[in-house]
Amino acid sequence: MDRRTFIQELKLPVMATCAICLGSCSKDDITTPGGGNTGGNNTGGNTTNSFKVDLTKELQAIGSFIFNDKIIVVRLAAGSVPSSFVALQRACTHQGTDVNWNASKNEFVCPNHGARFNTSGQNIGGQSTSALPVYAISISGTTLSVG
Ligand code: FES
């Protein structure tokens, strides 16, 4: 079999496989952070300023966090009430680098120039910049919704 024939015969199955894979994959997947924090998949879109978290699977430990492309959510206290959580813009207000959650210091830290933010989003050290926007949280049953 020559190369052209091989590619022509291979094209259809590969395209079908890609279509199936693309259909099953989505940007809703959340990268699981290291360091013993919980992570997983959210159940909402991550291309808007909103998403949903299944509290039976995620954010069960105090200090755990989860994020999508735009928002980072941290559990600050026990209980499944909105005040037990905080949701902030993930992009640093200085130059847009994604901030990380530091549970031991109870603050968000930007790895780029060191800006630090408290759980209200206020800049508390490092690079001086404006506050991280805070998103509204609501909880219905075991589903936490942001935005
Ligand atoms: S981008 Fe975050 S401190 Fe500069």
Side-chain angles (χ1 to χ4, degrees):
M1 173 183 307
D2 68 10
R3 191 170 74 181
R4 176 172 289 192
T5 304
F6 175 76
I7 290 172
Q8 286 175 340
E9 289 182 6
L10 188 66
K11 193 169 21 177
L12 186 59
V14 168
M15 289 175 60
T17 302
C18 287
I20 291 168
C21 182
L22 289 172
S24 66
C25 298
S26 83
K27 289 186 173 184
D28 289 348
D29 294 339
I30 290 181
T31 303
T32 303
N37 298 293
T38 61
N41 296 326
N42 67 46
T43 54
N46 66 354
T47 56
T48 63
N49 290 338
S50 66
F51 76 108
K52 296 181 187 300
V53 178
D54 181 349
L55 294 176
T56 65
K57 297 177 181 172
E58 309 290 351
L59 296 175
Q60 295 180 324
I62 296 172
S64 62
F65 67 99
I66 191 169
F67 55 85
N68 66 10
D69 286 351
K70 298 188 181 234
I71 301 168
I72 183 168
V73 182
V74 177
R75 177 184 278 279
L76 299 174
S80 291
V81 293
S83 61
S84 296
F85 303 90
V86 64
L88 300 176
Q89 172 181 294
R90 195 166 163 227
C92 179
T93 52
H94 180 226
Q95 291 182 352
T97 302
D98 289 338
V99 298
N100 297 320
W101 170 243
N102 183 336
S104 66
K105 294 189 175 178
N106 227 32
E107 66 184 22
F108 299 89
V109 180
C110 178
N112 201 358
H113 308 109
R116 296 169 35 237
F117 304 89
N118 65 17
T119 56
S120 298
Q122 299 300 311
N123 181 218
I124 56 171
Q127 173 68 45
S128 180
T129 187
S130 58
L132 293 172
V134 177
Y135 292 94
I137 293 174
S138 61
I139 296 177
S140 177
T142 59
T143 301
L144 179 149
S145 299
V146 179

